[in-house]
C-alpha cells in the first residue's frame, strides 16, 4: 500500500524492508524480467512500436482497473465493468450518429455510466446487498440490455468523426497512443487522490476497518457509494476508448473483461478484503499481464497459452502474498 | 436485571421455518409466473413443455447441487463453466478413442473432480480467496481447452449409450432429468441427515468455531470442491451428449447462471445458510422465466436481463425481510 | 486542546454534558435502565461498575455508536441527538475506546488525524503538518511512540497511547477514556494523569472509566456507579471509602458470587506443558494442570494468555515445546486430535470463534459431539435433540426452543451453550478464556458455579482471566503471565492482589 510520505521523513526503515516489504517492488522486478526475457526471445518485441502498442492495449484495463481497485480498497467488489464498457458505447455512437458531436456522445455515455454506478452503489452501500451479487446482476442486465437494444449486431459509427477516431487510435507525437496517455493521466490523478486527499484516505480507512472509520465520524456508506460511481465512470471512459478502437458499438465488446481487470487488480496486490493496495501496484499488474500476453503472442505461442499462464501467475502471486502475510 | 428476558419476537420461530418462509416467496413467485404465462400462452401448460422445462433445469440443477454445498461451506467456484466445456471434450475424446462409454464417463468425472481438487487445494493451502482462485482456474481451463482441441470434438464412435445420456428417455422422462433428480436427492440427504452435511454448515457458519470444536475445516472444504467438480463432470457428460460433440466454447456464463440460481434459492454467500430445496426452486424459477420468454415469443435477450433483476430483487427482499424479523 | 477560557468560564454553571434517564435494550438484555450522568467542566468524573454494569453501553451512546431508546442528552445546556459518531465528534466529544480503534495499515501520525486531516491550500492533505504535530503532541504528553511507525506493527500498549493521543489532537469539550490504562505501565499511567490534569485545567470535562480503585481515588473528582444497567450513586470522591465504593459496585451479591461447593482434592497432572514457545508471543512456558483443580492464569493485556490458550488446544502453531494430555503428546496445530485427547477451549471471543450466530441453539451445542450421535455417517437427530435438551434444562439456558438462532440469546445463555458444547463431548481439560466477558452479573455467578462444578467432577480447568475477583474467587492455584512468560505460580491461599500485580508487571 502507499506508505504515507511520513515513512521517508523520519527514521527511514532498513533498506531491506523498504523494498521487500513492498509488493510493488516484486511486481516491478517481475515486469522487468518478463520484458527482458521476451526481448531476448523475440527480435520484434523490444521495439518502440511494439512497446507503445502494448501500452495502448493495456490502457483499457488500466483505466477500468483504477476504478475497480478503488472499489476493492473500500472493501467491496465491482464486476459489472465488463458489460458496462459495451453498454456505454450505445449512447455514445447513437448520439454521435444523430448529432455529429463527440462531446454530446461522451456526455451520453458518462450519463449512463453515472446511472449504473449510482444503482450499484445504492444497492451495495445503502441497501446492504453483497456487492458481488449486485454487480453480477448489473453485469447480466447490461449485457442483456445491449443485446436487446442492438439485436445482437454492432451499431456502426456513421458520423465518422475524426476526433472520435483519434481518442482511441491517435498517437501523441506519433509515438504514445492517446488511450495510454489518458490512462496515465487518470492514474496520476487518482493516485494523487488516494494519497493526498482526505477522501482517498477515507477509502482506505473504510476498507481497512469500517467500524473504526465510523467511529472517526466517516459516512461509510456514502464513501462506498462514491467508489462505485468512480468505478462506473472510469469503466465508461474505457468503454469510449474501446468503441473508438473498434469504430462501432459492438454488442460483444468486453466479454470477460471484468475477469481480466479483477485478475490484474488482485495481481497488483490490491486485497479483496479491503484497505490494502495501491494504484501503482494495479498498474504494474495490468502491464505484467499485457506484456506477457504480447510476448507470448510474439513467440507464436497459441494465444490460449496466455490465459493458462495468466491463471497460474495469479495463483502464484496471490498465494505468495497470502502466505507471506500469514508469516507476519 | 432481567437480563434473561427473551427478545420480543414470536416464540418458536425456527431457523428452519425462516428458510421455509423465504421459500414460500419463491413458490409464490413460481406459481404466479406459471399462471400468468399459461394465461398468455396456453401451450405453456402442456406435458411436452413441462418436460422441456425440466430438461433445461437438469443441467443447471446438477451443478447447482454441488455449488450449494460449496456456498454453504463458505466458498464459491467460478470455474464450473469452463470446466463443463473441457469435461465435455474429454468425455467425447476418450469415448472416441476407447469406444467405451464407461471409460469416457469415468474420464469426465475424474477430470472434473481433479479440477475441483485443484481449486480446493489452492483455496485451502495457499489461502487464496476462492473468488480469485477460481477465476484463475477458469482462465487456465479456457486457455488449455483450446490447447487440447482447436475445434469441437465430434462424435466418431456413434455409440447409442453415449447419446442416451443427454437425449434418452426412460418412459416419458428424459435421462438428464433422472440424473439431476438422483444427484439432488443424494445431495439433499447428505446435507440434511449426515454428519458431513452438518459439518459443512458449521464450517461455513464459523470456520474458527468449527476448527476449535475439532472439525477439519479445510479438508471439508476440499471435499466440497471435489463434489462440485463431480457434479460438473456429470453435467459435462450430459451437455456433450446433448450437443453430440465436445464444444470448447460451451459453458460460457454457465457459472453465473448456477450461482444466480443458488443465491436466488436463499443460500447465503457468507456461508452457513442455505438449502437444496431453495436451490431447486431457484433453478425452476430461472428456467420458467427462460421458457416463458421463448413461449411468449419475447426477445430472447431478455433471458439475460430478467434473471439479473430477479437476483438483485430477491436478495434485497431477503435483507428487508431479515431486518423486519430482527425487530 | 485549546478552549476559549472565557467561554468555559461562562459555561461553568451549566454542566458540560447531561444525560437523563438513558435507556437501552438489546435483544435478550436490558443494558441501561434510566441512567443519569452529568459532567461538570474541568472535572474528572469516574464511571464505575463491574463488567456488564452498562458502562460501555453508556459510553457508546455518548459517542454516537448506539442510539438510545429513551432519555435525553444535553451538551452545554442544549438538547441534542447523536445519530452517528460524527454528530458526537462535532459536539466536541472525544472517546478513547477500550478496543483499539485505529487503522492498522496507517502510520501512527495519520491515525491521530484520522478524524480531520489538516489541509494545505487547494485541499491536499498537509502531511508535513501531520508529522510535525503528531511528533509535537507525543513530546508534549511524554509518550514514547514513533509517529512514523505503522500502527499495526506496534505493541498493544503503544497503540493504546496512540488512541489517547488522538483524543487530544483536536479541540474537545469532553474526553471519555474507557479503561485507558489496561495495558499501560505505572510510569505511563502517571504520564496519563498529568495529561488529564492539564485537560481539566483547560475546562475540559473528563469521563474516566475504570475498575481500578486506586486510580479512581487518585484522579477523579466525582464518581458515578452503575450496576446491572441502573444508576446506583453519584458522589464526590471524598464521600467514598474503598469499601463504600466496592459496596456500591457489587451490592450484596459478593457473598454468593463465587459459590464454592466442591471440596477439592486435586488429582494427578492431566496436562503437562513443557517449554512451549510460539513465533508470536510465548517464550518457554511450562506448567501442569491437575484433575479437579481450577488453575487461574492472570496477566495484563498482551501478556499472552489467549495465545497460550490457543496453543495448548492445538489451534495455533507452536515453535517448540511439548504438550501432553495424560502423557500422550499432542500434535501441534491439530484441533481434531486435541479434542480427541480431551482438551477444548471456551474462547474469549464468542462471536468470531465460538458461536455460529445464525444457527440454532441445537446446532451450536452439539457441534463438538456430533459424531457421537452419528451412525454410519447419519446423525440421529432424536438422540441429539434429547441430549441437547437435557443440557438446556440442567444449565437453565433460557431459550424459547432448541431451534432459536443463538444470536437472539443473551451473552450468559450463549456462554452456557458453549460450555455445554464441551461438557457434552466429555473433556479431561477445559481451557476457559475470559469466561464472563460481556456477561451480566446475574449470569456470571451461574457460570462460576458451572466452572466450579466442572472441577468438582474431576476436570482440569484452566482459566485465563484479567478479572482479579474472578481469579481469586475461583482458582485453586494461580499462575501469572507477563510478556509471554509465566512469572509466578502460587497456591490461592498464598496469593494477594499485590503479589499478583507485581508479578504481572514484571
Amino acid at each position: 500500500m502507499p506508505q504515507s510520505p511520513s515513512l521517508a521523513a523520519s527514521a527511514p526503515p532498513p533498506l531491506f524492508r523498504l523494498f521487500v516489504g513492498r509488493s510493488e517492488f516484486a511486481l516491478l522486478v517481475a515486469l522487468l524480467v518478463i520484458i527482458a526475457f521476451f526481448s531476448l526471445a523475440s527480435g520484434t518485441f523490444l521495439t518502440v512500436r511494439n512497446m507503445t502498442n502494448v501500452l495502448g492495449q493495456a490502457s483499457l484495463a488500466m483505466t477500468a482497473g483504477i476504478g475497480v481497485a478503488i472499489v476493492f480498497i473500500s472493501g467491496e467488489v465491482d464486476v459489472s465493468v465488463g458489460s458496462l464498457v459495451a453498454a456505454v458505447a450505445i449512447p455514445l455512437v447513437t448520439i454521435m450518429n444523430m448529432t455529429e458531436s463527440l462531446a454530446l456522445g461522451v456526455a451520453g455515455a458518462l450519463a449512463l455510466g453515472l446511472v449504473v454506478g449510482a444503482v450499484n452503489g445504492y444497492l451495495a452501500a445503502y441497501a446492504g446487498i453483497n456487492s458481488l451479487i449486485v454487480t453480477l446482476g448489473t453485469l447480466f442486465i447490461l449485457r442483456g440490455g445491449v443485446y436487446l437494444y442492438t439485436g445482437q449486431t454492432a451499431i456502426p459509427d456513421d458520423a465518422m468523426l475524426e476526433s472520435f477516431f483519434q481518442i482511441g487510435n491517435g498517437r501523441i507525437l506519433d509515438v504514445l497512443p492517446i488511450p495510454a496517455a489518458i490512462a496515465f493521466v487518470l492514474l496520476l490523478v487518482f493516485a494523487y487522490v488516494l494519497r493526498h486527499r482526505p477522501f482517498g484516505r477515507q477509502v482506505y480507512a473504510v476498507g481497512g476497518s469500517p467500524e473504526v472509520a465510523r467511529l472517526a465520524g466517516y459516512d461509510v456508506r456514502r464513501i462506498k457509494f462514491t467508489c462505485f460511481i468512480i468505478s462506473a465512470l472510469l469503466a465508461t471512459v474505457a468503454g469510449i476508448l474501446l468503441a473508438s478502437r473498434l469504430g462501432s458499438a459492438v454488442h460483444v465488446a468486453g466479454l470477460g473483461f471484468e475477469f481480466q481487470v479483477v485478475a490484474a487488480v488482485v495481481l497488483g496486490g490490491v486485497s479483496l478484503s479491503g484497505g490494502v493496495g495501491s494504484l501503482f501496484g494495479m498498474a504494474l499488474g495490468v502491464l505484467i499481464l499485457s506484456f506477457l500476453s504480447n510476448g507470448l503472442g510474439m513467440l507464436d505461442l497459441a494465444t490460449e497459452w496466455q490465459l493458462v499462464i495468466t491463471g497460474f501467475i495469479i495463483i502464484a502471486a496471490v498465494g505468495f502474498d497470502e502466505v507471506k502475510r500469514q508469516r507476519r | 436485571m432481567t437480563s434473561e428476558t427473551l427478545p420480543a419476537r414470536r416464540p418458536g420461530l425456527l431457523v428452519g421455518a425462516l428458510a421455509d418462509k423465504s421459500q414460500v416467496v419463491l413458490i409464490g413467485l413460481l406459481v404466479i409466473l406459471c399462471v400468468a404465462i399459461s394465461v398468455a400462452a396456453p401451450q405453456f401448460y402442456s406435458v411436452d413443455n413441462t418436460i422441456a422445462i425440466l430438461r433445461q433445469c437438469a443441467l443447471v440443477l446438477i451443478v447447482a447441487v454441488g455449488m450449494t454445498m460449496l456456498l454453504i461451506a463458505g466458498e464459491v467456484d467460478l470455474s464450473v463453466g469452463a470446466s463443463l466445456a473441457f469435461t465435455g471434450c474429454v468425455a467425447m475424446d476418450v469415448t472416441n478413442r476407447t469406444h467405451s462409454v464407461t471409460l469416457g464417463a469415468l474420464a469426465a468425472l475424474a477430470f472434473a473432480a481433479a479440477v475441483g481438487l485443484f481449486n480446493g487445494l489452492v483455496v485451502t493451502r495457499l489461502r487464496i480467496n476462492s473468488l480469485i482462485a477460481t477465476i484463475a482456474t477458469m482462465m487456465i481451463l479456457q486457455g488449455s481447452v483450446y490447447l487440447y482441441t482447436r475445434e469441437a470434438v465430434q462424435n466418431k464412435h456413434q455409440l447409442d449409450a453415449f447419446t442416451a445420456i443427454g437425449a434418452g428417455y426412460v418412459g416419458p422422462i428424459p435421462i438428464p432429468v433422472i440424473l439431476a433428480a438422483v444427484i439432488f436427492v443424494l445431495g439433499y440427504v447428505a446435507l440434511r441427515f449426515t454428519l458431513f452435511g452438518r459439518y459443512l454448515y458449521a464450517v461455513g457458519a464459523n470456520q474458527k468455531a468449527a476448527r476449535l470444536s475439532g472439525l477439519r475445516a479445510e479438508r471439508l472444504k476440499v471435499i466440497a470442491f471435489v463434489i462440485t467438480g463431480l457434479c460438473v463432470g456429470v453435467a459435462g457428460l450430459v451437455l456433450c451428449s446433448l450437443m453430440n460433440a465436445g464444444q470448447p466454447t460451451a459453458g460460457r456464463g454457465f457459472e453465473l447462471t448456477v450461482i444466480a440460481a443458488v443465491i436466488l434459492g436463499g443460500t447465503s454467500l457468507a456461508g452457513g445458510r442455505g438449502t437444496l430445496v431453495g436451490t431447486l426452486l431457484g433453478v425452476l424459477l430461472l428456467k420458467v422465466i427462460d421458457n416463458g420468454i421463448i413461449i411468449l415469443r419475447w426477445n430472447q435477450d431478455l433471458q439475460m436481463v430478467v434473471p439479473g433483476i430477479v437476483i438483485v430483487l430477491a436478495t434485497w427482499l431477503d435483507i428487508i425481510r431479515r431486518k423486519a424479523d430482527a425487530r | 486542546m485549546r478552549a476559549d477560557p472565557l467561554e468555559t468560564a461562562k459555561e461553568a454553571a451549566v454542566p458540560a454534558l447531561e444525560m437523563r434517564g438513558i435507556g437501552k435494550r438489546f435483544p435478550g438484555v436490558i443494558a441501561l435502565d434510566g441512567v443519569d450522568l452529568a459532567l461538570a467542566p474541568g472535572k474528572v468524573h469516574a464511571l464505575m461498575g463491574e463488567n456488564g454494569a452498562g458502562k460501555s453501553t453508556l459510553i457508546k451512546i455518548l459517542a454516537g455508536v448506539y442510539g438510545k431508546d429513551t432519555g435525553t442528552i444535553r451538551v452545554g445546556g442544549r438538547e441534542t441527538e447523536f445519530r452517528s459518531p460524527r454528530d458526537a465528534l462535532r459536539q466536541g466529544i472525544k472517546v478513547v475506546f477500550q478496543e483499539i480503534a485505529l487503522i492498522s495499515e496507517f502510520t501512527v501520525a495519520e491515525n491521530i488525524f484520522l478524524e480531520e486531516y489538516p489541509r494545505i491550500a487547494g485541499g491536499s492533505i498537509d502531511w508535513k503538518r501531520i508529522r510535525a504535530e503528531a511528533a509535537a503532541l507525543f513530546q508534549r504528553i511524554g509518550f514514547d511512540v514513533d509517529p512514523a511507525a505503522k500502527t499495526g506493527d506496534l505493541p498493544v500498549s503503544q497503540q493504546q497511547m496512540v488512541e489517547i493521543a488522538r483524543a487530544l489532537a483536536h479541540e474537545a469539550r469532553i474526553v471519555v477514556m474507557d479503561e485507558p490504562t489496561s495495558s499501560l505501565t505505572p510510569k505511563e499511567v502517571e504520564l496519563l494523569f498529568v495529561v488529564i490534569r492539564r485537560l481539566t485545567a483547560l475546562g475540559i470535562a473528563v469521563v474516566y472509566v475504570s475498575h481500578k480503585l486506586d486510580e479512581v481515588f487518585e484522579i477523579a473528582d466525582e464518581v458515578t456507579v452503575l450496576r446491572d444497567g441502573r444508576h446506583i450513586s453519584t458522589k464526590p470522591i471524598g464521600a467514598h471509602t474503598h469499601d463504600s465504593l466496592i459496596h456500591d459496585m457489587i451490592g450484596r451479591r459478593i457473598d454468593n458470587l463465587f459459590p464454592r461447593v466442591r471440596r477439592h482434592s486435586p488429582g494427578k497432572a492431566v496436562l503437562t506443558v513443557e517449554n512451549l514457545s510460539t513465533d508470536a508471543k510465548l517464550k518457554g512456558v511450562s506448567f501442569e494442570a491437575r484433575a479437579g483443580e481450577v488453575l487461574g492464569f492472570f496477566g495484563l493485556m498482551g501478556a499472552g494468555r489467549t495465545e497460550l490458550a490457543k496453543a495448548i488446544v492445538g489451534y495455533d502453531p507452536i515453535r517448540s515445546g511439548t504438550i501432553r494430555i495424560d502423557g500422550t503428546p499432542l500434535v501441534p496445530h491439530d484441533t481434531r486430535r486435541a479434542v480427541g485427547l480431551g482438551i477444548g477451549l471456551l474462547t474469549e471471543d464468542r462471536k468470531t470463534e465460538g458461536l455460529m450466530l445464525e444457527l440454532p441453539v441445537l446446532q451450536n451445542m452439539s457441534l463438538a459431539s456430533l459424531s457421537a450421535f452419528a451412525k454410519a455417517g447419519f446423525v440421529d437427530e432424536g438422540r441429539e435433540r434429547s441430549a441437547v435438551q437435557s443440557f438446556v434444562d440442567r444449565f437453565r439456558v433460557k431459550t424459547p426452543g432448541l431451534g432459536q438462532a443463538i444470536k437472539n440469546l443473551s451473552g450468559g445463555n450463549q456462554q452456557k451453550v458453549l460450555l455445554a458444547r464441551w461438557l457434552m463431548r466429555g473433556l479431561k481439560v477445559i481451557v476457559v478464556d475470559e469466561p464472563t466477558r460481556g456477561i451480566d452479573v446475574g449470569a456470571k455467578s451461574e457460570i462460576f458455579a458451572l466452572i466450579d462444578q466442572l472441577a468438582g467432577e474431576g476436570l482440569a480447568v484452566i482459566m485465563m482471566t484479567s478479572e482479579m475477583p474472578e481469579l481469586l474467587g475461583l482458582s485453586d492455584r494461580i499462575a501469572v503471565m507477563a510478556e509471554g512468560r509465566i512469572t509466578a505460580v502460587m497456591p490461592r491461599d498464598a496469593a494477594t492482589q499485590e503479589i499478583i500485580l507485581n508479578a504481572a508487571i514484571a
Side-chain angles (χ1 to χ4, degrees), chain C residues 66-357:
Chain C
Y66 296 153
K68 56 185 166 44
D69 294 342
T70 59
T72 54
I73 302 177
R74 286 168 197 277
V75 177
R78 269 190 306 276
E79 185 166 345
T80 95
E81 285 282 331
F82 298 152
R83 280 183 202 84
S84 70
R86 170 186 291 262
D87 290 348
L89 287 167
R90 284 215 182 113
Q91 301 268 12
I93 297 171
K94 306 281 171 193
V95 181
V96 180
F97 287 98
Q98 197 179 354
E99 310 91 36
I100 305 293
L102 302 169
I103 303 285
S104 50
E105 292 287 328
F106 284 1
T107 63
V108 167
E110 181 168 6
N111 264 307
I112 289 192
F113 291 93
L114 206 56
E115 284 154 20
E116 202 178 344
Y117 287 91
R119 319 266 283 264
I120 51 175
S124 293
I125 295 172
D126 190 346
W127 289 112
K128 255 189 205 156
R129 211 175 118 201
I130 287 179
R131 285 193 300 274
E133 288 196 7
L137 180 65
F138 281 116
Q139 198 154 34
R140 201 163 65 227
I141 55 186
F143 283 172
D144 182 24
V145 180
D146 176 11
K150 195 172 119 183
T151 313
D153 293 343
L154 296 178
V156 184
S157 68
Q158 294 215 352
Q159 293 192 26
Q160 199 164 31
M161 289 189 238
V162 177
E163 280 266 347
I164 294 167
R166 185 165 74 158
L168 311 180
H170 307 280
E171 210 165 292
R173 279 210 267 194
I174 295 157
V175 174
V176 182
M177 299 187 175
D178 190 358
E179 310 239 3
T181 59
S182 53
S183 60
L184 298 189
T185 64
K187 191 173 151 266
E188 288 160 347
V189 172
E190 273 314 308
L191 286 173
L192 176 66
F193 285 177
V194 172
V195 171
I196 291 177
R197 289 193 186 103
R198 215 179 294 154
L199 290 178
T200 52
L202 286 167
I204 294 169
V206 176
V207 179
Y208 192 87
V209 182
S210 177
H211 45 226
K212 296 183 184 166
L213 294 180
D214 297 340
E215 288 181 4
V216 169
F217 276 102
E218 183 177 346
I219 194 76
D221 300 303
E222 276 187 302
V223 192
T224 289
V225 179
L226 302 183
R227 193 201 310 152
D228 300 354
R230 283 193 295 267
H231 181 264
I232 299 299
S233 66
T234 299
K235 292 177 193 167
I237 191 74
H240 268 302
T241 61
H242 266 73
D243 289 347
S244 72
L245 197 46
I246 290 175
H247 182 268
D248 279 359
M249 282 167 62
I250 301 179
R252 261 165 287 121
R253 226 177 251 109
I254 192 153
D255 313 321
N256 54 13
L257 196 53
F258 302 104
R260 286 177 83 107
V261 289
R262 78 201 135 95
R263 299 258 35 93
H264 57 274
S265 48
K268 62 182 175 57
V270 216
L271 172 74
T272 320
V273 174
E274 272 165 23
N275 223 356
L276 180 67
S277 298
T278 64
D279 288 341
K281 192 97 209 178
L282 304 177
K283 300 182 195 88
V285 173
S286 303
F287 68 95
E288 56 178 44
R290 303 177 203 133
E293 74 166 353
V294 176
L295 173 58
F297 273 83
F298 182 82
L300 300 177
M301 199 193 275
R305 280 167 296 144
T306 297
E307 288 81 356
L308 178 62
K310 284 192 175 162
I312 59 180
V313 300
Y315 187 80
D316 280 347
I318 64 174
R319 194 202 297 146
S320 61
T322 55
I323 304 158
R324 286 170 203 277
I325 312 279
D326 266 348
T328 317
L330 190 146
V331 182
H333 204 40
D334 184 348
T335 50
R336 188 178 140 102
R337 285 198 215 161
V339 170
L341 285 176
I343 183 167
L345 171 69
L346 184 71
T347 170
E348 62 159 350
D349 191 349
R350 278 199 298 280
K351 278 212 174 105
T352 63
E353 293 176 351
L355 301 168
M356 302 183 287
L357 286 168

Side-chain angles (χ1 to χ4, degrees), chain B residues 1 3-7 9 14-15 189 192-195 198 202 205-206 208-209 211-214 216 272, chain C residues 28 30 315 334-336 352-356 358 366-367 370 377 379 381 384 398 403 408 410 413 421-422 440:
Chain B
M1 137 168 80
S3 58
E4 314 299 326
T5 330
L6 285 159
R9 47 187 304 180
L14 313 184
V15 160
V189 169
R192 179 72 186 74
F193 298 113
T194 69
L195 205 53
R198 293 285 297 274
N206 189 338
K208 287 178 179 169
R211 260 201 67 205
L212 277 172
S213 298
R216 293 199 162 145
Chain C
I30 298 167
Y315 187 80
D334 184 348
T335 50
R336 188 178 140 102
T352 63
E353 293 176 351
L355 301 168
M356 302 183 287
E358 303 283 339
S366 63
L367 180 62
L370 208 51
V379 178
E381 278 188 45
E384 180 194 2
K398 296 201 178 102
N408 294 323
S410 71
N413 282 311
R421 177 189 286 174
W422 284 126
D440 33 76

